[in-house]
C-alpha cells in the first residue's frame, strides 16, 4: 500500500503540483513557441510523454547499474579487471553526457519505429520528434531520477522513475494544451502592440501558474484519505 | 525557433554517409570523446574530494552549534534503523574526555510544498531540546519559509521533551507549546512533528543502546 | 546574418541588444525563468552559461575544418555536455551553496538552445576571434537579461538586492514575484517594455 501511495504522490506531484512547465519551467520553448493550435500541442505532448518514459527507463537502468556510486555492474567490472576493491567506483561524472546521448538516441529510435510501423501517427506528430532532443523536460526527468539514486535511505526503483516521467509528460501535455487553447482565443483579442506574441503568452502563463499553485497540498490530502480508508 | 528546427534535423539536409567510411568519419568524435573523457577524469580526481568535504561540512558545521557551541569537542557519527525500517543518522558530541555533551539528530517530514529537513540538538539524556536548524525546505517564500527564522526556531530552545511539542496559534501558555508562524500552520506543525519524531527516535536509540 | 559576415566587434554588439538571446530570440527560457528569483543565483547561472558558451565556441571554432556535416550535432552535444559537467563540478566545489540552490538547472545548460544555436550559426563557420567575440557578446546579453529579471523580482518580491535589504520595511513584499508565476509575469512585462522602447526609438529615428 505504501508503495502505491508513494507512486501516487510522485505522479500527482509531477503532473499537477510541481508541474514540469509551470513550476520547474522545463520545456518552455515549445510551450511559448509551438503552442498555437490545440491539436498540434496535443501531438507534441504525446510525443514528449512517449519519449520521456523511454528515456527515463533507459537512464534509470544506466544510472542504477553503471553510473551511480558503487553501482553493481561497474563495481563488478572494476573487480574483474583487478582494481583495488577498497575504492568505490563512481562514474557519476559521466552521467550528463550519458543522459544526453540516451535522449538523442531514444528520440532517433522512436522516430524510426513510429515511421515504420505507424505511418499515420508519424504524419500527425512525427515533425515534433526531432525537436524533442532539445526539450529540457526530458533531461530534467533524467536528472531527478539521478538525484534519487545518489544514496540516502530510499533509492528509487524503476516504478518510481516511470511514475515521475509519465506524470511529468502528462503535466507537460496538460499545460501545453491549456496554453494552446488560450492562445487560440488570444488571436481574436486586441492585445497592446508591444505585448503581441510571446509577451502576452508569458503573462497568461503567469496566471495559469498561479492557478496551478492551488494544487499544493492536494497530494497529501488524498494520500491521507487513502491511508485512513485502508486502515478502517 | 527556426534555428532550432534546422539544426535538429541534420539527416534531411545531408546524405547519409557510405557505410565503409563510418569509422573513418567518426574519428573526430572518438578523438573528442577520449580528450573530454581524460579532462573529466582529471576534473573528477581534482574536485571530488572538495565536493565531498563541502557536503559533509554542511551538516557537521551545524552540529556543535546545536549543542551549545562547546569550545573543544569530538563528533561521532552513528546510525540506527528504527522499528519502522527508516535508517537515521545521529551525531554524538563529546568533550575531549569523552564525556557526552549532547546529541544531534536528522529529522524530516513532508511540509506544505516539499520535504522539510531539520537537525535537532538534544541534551545527553534526551530530556531537553537544545536547538533546531532547518537544513532544507521549499516552503512558500514569505510565509512557510519563515520556519527557518530565529523568531520561530528559538522557541524550541530549552523545551522539555517529557510531553510531545504542540503548535498553538496564540501566545504559548506552557513550555511544550510552540507558536505557529502566522499563515503557515502546516509548515509549523510539520516542524513540530519532525522534532517529536526525532526525540522518540533518540529515546528509542538510547533504550536499545544503554551505555 | 551569415551572408555578409560581420566583424568581431559587430558580433559582440549584436549579442547584447539587437540579437539579445532572451528579449529578441526567446532562446534559453528555462534557466531565465527558473533561477531569477534573486540576483545571486541569476548571475551565477549567467556566468556558468557564458563559461560553457565561450568554451564550446572556442573548441568548435578550432576544430571547424575537421567537422563532418552529418556528425556536427553529435560533436556539439558532446562538447557542450563535457563543459557543462566541468562547470557543474567547479560550482559544487567552490560555490557549494549556489550549486545546491541552482540544482538541476546547471546540467540543464546542456539543452540550452542558445549554446547549440551559437555553435551552429557562428562557431562552426567563423574563425576564432569572431567566435570568441560572439560568445562574449551573447554571454553579456544573456547576463543582462537574467540580471534585469533577478533585479526586478528580488527588489519588488523581497525588498532586497543580493540579500541586503534596500527598500524600507514598510514595503509590502510582493511575494508572488518570487514564486514561479512571478517569473512569467515579470518576463512578460519586461518583454513588453523592451518592445515598446525599441518601437519608440525606431519611430523617432524615422521622423528625424
Amino acid at each position: 500500500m505504501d508503495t502505491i501511495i508513494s507512486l501516487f504522490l510522485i505522479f500527482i506531484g509531477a503532473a499537477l503540483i510541481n508541474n514540469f512547465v509551470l513550476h520547474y519551467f522545463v520545456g518552455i520553448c515549445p510551450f511559448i513557441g509551438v503552442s498555437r493550435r490545440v491539436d498540434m500541442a496535443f501531438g507534441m505532448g504525446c510525443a514528449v510523454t512517449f519519449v520521456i518514459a523511454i528515456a527515463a527507463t533507459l537512464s534509470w537502468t544506466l544510472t542504477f547499474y553503471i553510473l551511480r556510486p558503487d553501482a553493481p555492474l561497474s563495481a563488478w567490472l572494476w573487480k574483474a579487471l583487478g582494481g583495488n576493491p577498497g575504492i568505490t567506483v563512481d562514474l557519476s561524472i559521466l552521467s550528463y553526457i550519458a543522459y544526453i546521448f540516451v535522449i538523442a538516441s531514444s528520440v532517433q529510435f522512436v522516430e524510426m519505429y513510429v515511421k515504420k510501423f505507424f505511418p499515420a501517427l508519424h504524419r500527425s506528430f512525427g515533425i515534433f520528434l526531432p525537436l524533442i532532443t532539445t526539450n529540457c523536460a526530458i533531461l530534467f526527468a533524467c536528472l531527478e531520477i539521478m538525484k534519487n539514486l545518489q544514496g540516502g535511505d530510499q533509492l528509487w526503483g524503476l516504478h518510481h522513475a516511470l511514475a515521475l516521467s509519465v506524470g511529468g509528460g502528462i503535466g507537460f501535455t496538460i499545460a501545453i494544451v491549456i496554453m494552446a487553447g488560450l492562445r487560440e482565443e488570444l488571436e481574436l483579442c486586441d492585445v497592446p502592440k508591444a505585448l503581441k506574441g510571446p509577451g502576452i503568452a508569458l503573462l497568461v502563463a503567469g496566471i495559469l501558474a498561479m492557478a496551478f499553485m492551488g494544487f499544493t497540498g492536494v497530494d497529501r490530502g488524498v494520500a491521507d484519505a487513502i491511508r485512513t480508508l485502508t486502515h478502517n | 525557433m527556426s534555428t532550432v528546427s534546422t539544426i535538429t534535423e541534420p539527416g534531411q539536409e545531408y546524405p547519409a554517409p557510405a557505410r565503409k567510411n563510418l569509422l573513418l568519419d567518426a574519428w573526430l568524435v572518438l578523438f573528442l570523446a577520449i580528450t573530454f573523457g581524460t579532462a573529466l577524469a582529471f576534473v573528477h580526481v581534482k574536485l571530488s574530494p572538495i565536493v565531498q568535504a563541502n557536503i559533509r561540512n554542511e551538516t557537521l558545521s551545524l552540529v556543535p552549534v546545536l549543542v551549545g557551541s562547546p569550545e573543544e569537542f569530538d563528533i561521532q557519527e552513528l546510525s540506527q534503523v528504527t522499528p519502522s525500517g527508516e535508517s537515521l543518522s545521529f551525531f554524538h558530541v563529546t568533550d575531549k574526555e569523552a564525556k557526552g555533551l549532547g546529541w544531534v539528530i536528522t529529522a524530516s517530514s513532508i511540509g506544505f510544498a516539499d520535504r522539510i529537513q531539520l537537525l535537532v540538538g538534544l541534551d545527553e539524556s534526551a530530556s531537553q531540546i537544545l536547538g533546531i536548524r532547518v537544513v532544507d525546505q521549499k516552503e512558500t517564500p514569505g510565509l512557510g519559509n519563515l520556519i527557518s527564522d530565529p523568531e520561530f526556531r528559538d522557541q524550541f530552545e530549552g523545551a522539555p521533551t517529557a510531553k510531545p511539542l504542540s503548535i498553538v496559534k496564540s501566545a504559548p501558555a506552557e513550555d511544550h507549546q510552540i507558536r505557529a508562524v502566522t499563515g503557515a500552520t502546516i509548515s509549523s506543525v510539520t516542524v513540530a512533528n519532525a522534532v517529536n519524531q526525532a526525540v522518540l527516535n533518540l529515546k528509542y536509540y538510547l533504550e536499545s543502546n544503554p551505555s | 546574418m551569415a551572408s555578409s559576415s560581420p566583424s568581431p566587434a559587430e558580433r559582440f554588439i549584436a549579442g547584447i541588444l539587437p540579437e539579445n538571446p532572451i528579449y529578441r530570440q526567446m532562446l534559453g527560457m528555462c534557466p531565465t525563468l527558473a533561477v531569477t528569483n534573486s540576483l545571486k543565483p541569476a548571475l551565477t547561472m549567467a556566468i556558468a552559461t557564458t563559461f560553457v558558451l565561450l568554451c564550446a565556441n572556442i573548441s568548435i571554432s578550432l576544430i571547424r575544418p575537421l567537422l563532418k556535416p552529418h556528425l556536427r550535432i553529435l560533436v556539439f552535444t558532446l562538447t557542450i555536455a563535457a563543459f557543462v559537467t566541468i562547470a557543474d563540478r567547479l560550482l559544487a566545489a567552490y560555490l557549494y551553496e549556489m550549486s545546491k540552490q541552482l540544482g538541476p538547472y546547471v546540467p540543464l545548460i546542456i539543452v540550452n538552445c542558445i549554446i547549440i544555436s551559437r555553435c551552429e550559426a557562428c562557431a562552426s563557420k567563423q574563425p576564432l576571434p569572431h567566435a570568441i567575440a560572439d560568445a562574449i557578446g551573447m554571454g553579456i546579453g544573456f547576463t543582462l537579461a537574467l540580471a534585469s529579471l533577478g533585479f526586478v523580482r528580488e527588489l519588488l518580491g523581497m525588498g532586497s538586492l543580493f540579500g541586503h535589504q534596500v527598500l524600507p520595511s514598510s514595503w509590502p513584499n510582493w511575494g508572488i514575484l518570487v514564486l514561479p508565476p512571478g517569473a512569467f509575469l515579470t518576463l512578460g512585462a519586461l518583454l513588453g517594455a523592451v518592445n515598446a522602447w525599441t518601437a519608440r526609438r525606431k519611430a523617432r529615428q524615422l521622423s528625424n
Side-chain angles (χ1 to χ4, degrees):
Chain A
M1 200 64 223
D2 276 350
T3 326
I4 296 176
I5 291 179
S6 76
L7 287 179
F8 176 78
L9 288 182
I10 294 172
F11 180 83
I12 294 291
L16 295 177
I17 303 159
N18 297 331
N19 185 288
F20 268 30
V21 178
L22 297 169
H23 186 271
Y24 287 120
F25 309 104
V26 289
I28 284 285
C29 287
F31 179 72
I32 302 291
V34 179
S35 59
R36 278 168 204 271
R37 277 176 44 205
V38 172
D39 52 342
M40 298 250 289
F42 187 71
M44 179 80 178
C46 290
V48 166
T49 312
F50 195 46
V51 173
I52 213 170
I54 290 173
T57 312
L58 287 175
S59 63
W60 181 87
T61 318
L62 207 60
T63 317
F64 190 83
Y65 291 106
I66 299 174
L67 292 174
R68 75 189 167 107
D70 214 12
L73 206 61
S74 43
W76 173 81
L77 195 66
W78 176 249
K79 271 193 204 107
L81 289 175
N84 180 356
I87 296 172
T88 315
V89 186
D90 181 5
L91 292 176
S92 46
I93 192 147
L94 293 177
S95 11
Y96 303 158
I97 297 183
Y99 293 154
I100 196 71
F101 283 107
V102 160
I103 294 168
S105 46
S106 47
V107 168
Q108 281 290 318
F109 176 75
V110 168
E111 194 185 8
M112 269 154 53
Y113 184 81
V114 171
K115 202 173 189 173
K116 185 142 172 78
F117 293 101
F118 306 98
L121 201 65
H122 186 258
R123 270 195 298 279
S124 57
F125 69 75
I127 45 162
F128 300 113
L129 281 170
L131 272 175
I132 289 175
T133 315
T134 48
N135 187 325
C136 7
I138 297 163
L139 183 59
F140 180 78
C142 296
L143 292 168
E144 281 294 295
I145 292 164
M146 169 188 154
K147 199 177 85 187
N148 287 291
L149 281 175
Q150 287 294 308
D153 35 339
Q154 277 151 347
L155 292 187
W156 272 16
L158 183 58
H159 47 302
H160 294 107
L162 276 175
L164 175 95
S165 52
V166 175
I170 290 175
F172 177 80
T173 314
I174 293 174
I176 200 172
V177 167
I178 295 179
M179 192 63 198
L182 287 169
R183 290 190 82 171
E184 277 184 357
E185 297 295 317
L186 274 176
E187 300 276 299
L188 308 170
C189 296
D190 185 20
V191 179
K193 211 175 152 219
L195 284 176
K196 276 219 164 73
I200 192 73
L202 283 165
L203 291 180
V204 169
I207 297 166
L208 199 57
M210 268 190 237
F212 267 72
M213 274 176 70
F215 284 115
T216 315
V218 166
D219 54 342
R220 217 161 18 110
V222 178
D224 283 349
I226 299 174
R227 232 172 250 137
T228 26
L229 275 180
T230 48
H231 272 279
N232 288 348
Chain B
M1 294 310 295
S2 59
T3 10
V4 181
S5 60
T6 49
I7 57 173
T8 42
E9 294 170 89
Q12 294 173 9
E13 293 166 42
Y14 300 96
R19 188 158 288 269
K20 56 177 180 178
N21 289 336
L22 215 59
L23 252 186
L24 216 74
D25 276 358
W27 75 267
L28 182 66
V29 179
L30 289 176
F31 171 74
L32 280 178
I34 293 167
T35 318
F36 286 133
T38 323
L40 286 182
F42 179 73
V43 168
H44 183 68
V45 168
K46 276 274 173 225
L47 295 183
S48 74
I50 309 179
V51 178
Q52 293 299 331
N54 282 341
I55 295 171
R56 279 179 56 81
N57 279 341
E58 193 191 14
T59 313
L60 283 185
S61 62
L62 281 174
V63 166
V65 179
L66 282 170
V67 292
S69 311
E71 274 177 17
E72 285 195 331
F73 57 87
D74 280 324
I75 297 174
Q76 269 181 289
E77 276 188 70
L78 306 157
S79 63
Q80 167 81 11
V81 179
T82 62
S84 58
E86 266 181 285
S87 78
L88 298 151
S89 52
F90 292 86
F91 301 94
H92 191 204
V93 187
T94 55
D95 61 10
K96 289 289 170 206
E97 281 84 49
K99 186 172 144 290
L101 295 170
W103 301 86
V104 174
I105 314 164
T106 54
S108 78
S109 187
I110 305 275
F112 186 63
D114 205 339
R115 191 163 278 277
I116 299 177
Q117 289 188 357
L118 304 164
L119 282 178
V120 183
L122 288 141
D123 68 352
E124 189 59 20
S125 57
S127 60
Q128 199 184 30
I129 294 170
L130 296 177
I132 66 161
R133 282 291 183 287
V134 179
V135 185
D136 199 12
Q137 54 91 7
K138 293 191 180 70
E139 303 300 283
T140 323
L143 295 171
N145 74 346
L146 297 183
I147 54 168
S148 316
D149 276 20
E151 207 175 309
F152 177 71
R153 91 182 169 216
D154 287 352
Q155 296 183 72
F156 288 85
E157 260 172 52
T161 61
K163 274 191 202 170
L165 300 173
S166 61
I167 291 289
V168 290
K169 292 188 187 178
S170 51
E174 291 176 56
D175 47 2
H176 71 274
Q177 290 180 332
I178 304 288
R179 186 174 188 157
V181 173
T182 316
T185 316
I186 293 181
S187 309
S188 313
V189 170
T190 306
V191 173
N193 286 345
V195 172
N196 288 336
Q197 189 57 48
V199 171
L200 287 182
N201 287 338
L202 180 63
K203 284 182 175 166
Y204 172 79
Y205 173 80
L206 290 178
E207 275 165 26
S208 48
N209 301 282
S211 50
Chain C
M1 110 197 113
S3 51
S4 64
S5 60
S7 71
E10 281 165 351
R11 287 207 163 272
F12 177 75
I13 301 291
I16 297 178
L17 190 66
E19 287 175 30
N20 187 293
I22 304 296
Y23 289 121
R24 287 278 179 266
Q25 305 184 53
M26 305 294 292
L27 290 176
M29 302 301 284
C30 160
T32 313
L33 294 164
V35 302
T36 51
N37 57 3
S38 48
L39 267 171
K40 229 168 150 184
L43 283 181
T44 317
M45 184 64 179
I47 291 167
T49 310
T50 311
F51 166 79
V52 176
L53 179 56
L54 185 63
C55 293
N57 256 11
I58 291 175
S59 330
I60 299 294
S61 180
L62 284 177
I63 57 168
R64 156 177 55 100
L66 306 172
L67 278 178
K68 296 276 189 306
H70 57 274
L71 285 176
R72 73 196 194 294
I73 299 293
L74 191 67
V75 171
F76 296 165
T77 320
L78 181 67
T79 315
I80 296 168
F83 283 119
V84 168
T85 312
I86 294 174
D88 179 66
R89 293 288 94 186
L90 281 172
L91 276 180
Y94 298 111
L95 284 171
Y96 182 65
E97 204 43 51
M98 271 297 120
S99 133
K100 233 181 75 172
Q101 205 178 334
L102 292 175
Y105 297 103
V106 179
L108 281 177
I109 296 176
I110 301 175
V111 283
N112 190 325
C113 321
I114 297 174
I115 301 177
I116 204 160
S117 83
R118 287 337 287 168
C119 286
E120 166 76 10
C122 177
S124 63
K125 300 190 181 91
Q126 304 281 342
L128 193 57
H130 293 71
I132 292 177
D134 182 77
I136 296 177
M138 281 290 159
I140 292 177
F142 186 67
T143 311
L144 283 179
L146 254 65
S148 61
L149 263 169
F151 177 81
V152 172
R153 290 180 70 191
E154 190 178 356
L155 186 70
L156 300 183
M158 292 188 278
S160 60
L161 287 177
F162 289 108
H164 299 291
Q165 195 71 29
V166 287
L167 289 183
S169 54
S170 57
W171 172 257
N173 290 342
W174 296 0
I176 192 73
L177 288 189
V178 189
L179 294 172
F184 290 111
L185 296 177
T186 316
L187 183 60
L190 283 178
L191 193 66
V194 170
N195 283 344
W197 179 72
T198 349
R200 258 183 58 185
R201 217 175 57 151
K202 221 173 251 168
R204 201 173 297 157
Q205 270 172 356
L206 280 179
S207 65
N208 280 351

